[in-house]
Amino acid sequence: MNAPPLSGRIAVVTGGAEGIGAAIAQRLHREGAEIVVADVQRDKGEALARELGGAFALLDVAQEEGWDRLLDAHARLDILVNNAGVNKGPAPFESLSYAHWRETLAVNLDGAFLGCRAGVRAMASRGGNIVNIGSGAGVRAVGEMAAYTASKAGVHALTRAAAAYCGRRGYKIRCNAVLPGSVETPMVSRLRGQTGDAAAARARIVERHPIGFVGEGDDIAAMVAFLVSDEARFITGALMCVDGGLTI
Ligand SMILES: NC(=O)c1ccc[n+]([C@@H]2O[C@H](COP(=O)([O-])OP(=O)(O)OC[C@H]3O[C@@H](n4cnc5c(N)ncnc54)[C@H](O)[C@@H]3O)[C@@H](O)[C@H]2O)c1
């Protein structure tokens, strides 16, 4: 019997305790990787890490020192999925607070930068794969979510810069992004809850996806698993839409 495609590889998934990150952790585990679930939520993160026979790391992606501790604790790193992100919900542009903007950019963009930098440092000599989770919202702007939209567009640009840098340096590191459309997760159900009429909000969301339904975590995880596999050896700097046509 053949070994699973990712066996022997160590994968860190940020924001891996629930939602899309948990689906990615489960998928990479099924493909044979050893999983480190990195999250600010200890209980859920530890429970999933136990289930997968992996490790948990308490990590706030926006804190530089946390990344240093993570690298110290896990000497080798083959796959890094920068998935952790926040969406603080819609706000009119005029009253969008600077705190809302800063917090969104700190987690979504600073966190992805600190992650990419840690990944490049850890993988420069042996090679590896970085996957950033962007968003369809970074392509098709959502006017009421300026901070989220801008943070994700930044993640897309960061992905391409890191890919170009690593390629030209001769590092065997590929860096790609997956841009999900709407996926049923705790984040999306929280946002729906803020609207007052969750059923109508869901219908509106579905309506924006030409395919006629919203995604599941494993739809995104499948693309991540492909991107980190050797089958994707010629793919770097790509922004892969997995969005049911949202950004068409
Ligand atoms: N769900 C969607 O429809 C959707 C669409 C496009 C993009 N995305 C992106 O996918 C990623 C995952 O989203 P989700 O819907 O699963 O979200 P979620 O809120 O359901 O889960 C996010 C996870 O990230 C963790 N997290 C939050 N801040 C963190 C931090 N500072 N450091 C470490 N961990 C942190 C949370 O504890 C949680 O486990 C995010 O980057 C999000 O922007 C989601």
Side-chain angles (χ1 to χ4, degrees), residues 168-189:
R168 297 214 171 97
R169 280 278 168 144
Y171 299 163
K172 298 201 170 353
I173 303 172
R174 293 186 293 105
C175 182
N176 292 292
V178 180
L179 283 50
S182 201
V183 175
E184 200 52 59
T185 64
M187 175 191 280
V188 166
S189 97

Side-chain angles (χ1 to χ4, degrees), residues 13-24 37-42 44-45 57-63 67 82-87 103 106-108 111 132-138 148 151-152 155-156 178-191 205 209 214-215 217 220 242-243 246:
V13 182
T14 72
E18 63 182 353
I20 292 172
I24 294 169
V37 174
D39 206 291
V40 286
Q41 292 194 74
R42 183 184 281 282
K44 286 185 178 163
L58 187 66
L59 174 75
D60 177 345
V61 294
Q63 299 293 325
W67 283 103
N82 289 308
N83 162 79
V86 292
N87 183 336
E103 194 180 317
V107 177
N108 294 5
N132 296 326
I133 305 301
S135 174
Y148 185 76
S151 72
K152 290 299 185 175
V155 169
H156 304 164
V178 180
L179 283 50
S182 201
V183 175
E184 200 52 59
T185 64
M187 175 191 280
V188 166
S189 97
R190 270 192 308 274
L191 290 170
I205 290 171
H209 295 71
V214 298
I220 309 309
V242 182
D243 67 2
L246 173 75

Side-chain angles (χ1 to χ4, degrees), residues 1 21 26 66 114 138 155 194 199 209:
M1 209 173 78
Q26 282 158 337
L114 292 171
V155 169
Q194 289 173 15
H209 295 71

Side-chain angles (χ1 to χ4, degrees), residues 10-29 33-40 45 48 52 55-57 59 61 67 70 77 79-84 131 133 221 224:
I10 299 175
V12 171
V13 182
T14 72
E18 63 182 353
I20 292 172
I24 294 169
Q26 282 158 337
R27 179 71 180 232
L28 297 184
H29 168 72
E34 253 177 71
I35 304 297
V36 180
V37 174
D39 206 291
V40 286
L48 181 61
L52 303 181
F56 172 74
L59 174 75
V61 294
W67 283 103
L70 184 79
L77 180 58
I79 296 168
L80 170 63
V81 185
N82 289 308
N83 162 79
V131 178
I133 305 301
V224 173

